[in-house]
Amino acid sequence: QVQLVESGGGSVQAGGSLRLSCAASGVTRIYSLGWFRQAPGKEREGVATIHIRSGDTYYSDSVKGRFTISHDNTKNTLYLQMNSLQPEDTAMYYCAAGFTWYGPAVALSSTSFAYWGQGTQVTVSS
């Protein structure tokens, strides 16, 4: 049974940092892991993903240079280091796991991922 459990969300002021974690269990033959976010009234957005085998990472333009995705194979945990947070980053953040690689063109697409965590809230105040 695949389980993804996020943690590390919270409230910070603009310019602050947070580190999100996603503990994965029951995951085998995984190809990719990623972070997505959704703010009220907005579509779900791919934030950052990583191809496990190659280590290639992919970022949305809105977070490039501020966020860093990484994976600890020993702990089987996915991380998202978020720096220089802005109010526009406020959203529910979800981690996801994919078991089929469709290529870099859709690396940030939610349709490329099969399993999802429950989400962790990130709130950034100005």
Side-chain angles (χ1 to χ4, degrees), residues 90-112:
T90 296
M92 183 72 75
Y93 284 70
Y94 302 88
C95 69
F99 297 89
T100 303
W101 179 244
Y102 297 100
V106 292
L108 289 169
S109 174
S110 62
T111 61
S112 298

Side-chain angles (χ1 to χ4, degrees), residues 42-95:
K42 297 184 178 180
E43 298 291 330
R44 180 167 294 187
E45 173 190 16
V47 176
T49 62
I50 182 170
H51 187 267
I52 300 301
R53 185 175 179 84
S54 68
D56 291 344
T57 57
Y58 307 86
Y59 296 92
S60 70
D61 291 338
S62 63
V63 308
K64 195 172 300 181
R66 299 188 297 123
F67 292 8
T68 302
I69 188 172
S70 61
H71 182 250
D72 187 326
N73 289 319
T74 301
K75 298 181 179 180
N76 202 23
T77 301
L78 180 72
Y79 301 98
L80 183 67
Q81 179 65 47
M82 305 185 295
N83 298 325
S84 301
L85 284 163
Q86 300 299 315
E88 294 75 30
D89 297 315
T90 296
M92 183 72 75
Y93 284 70
Y94 302 88
C95 69

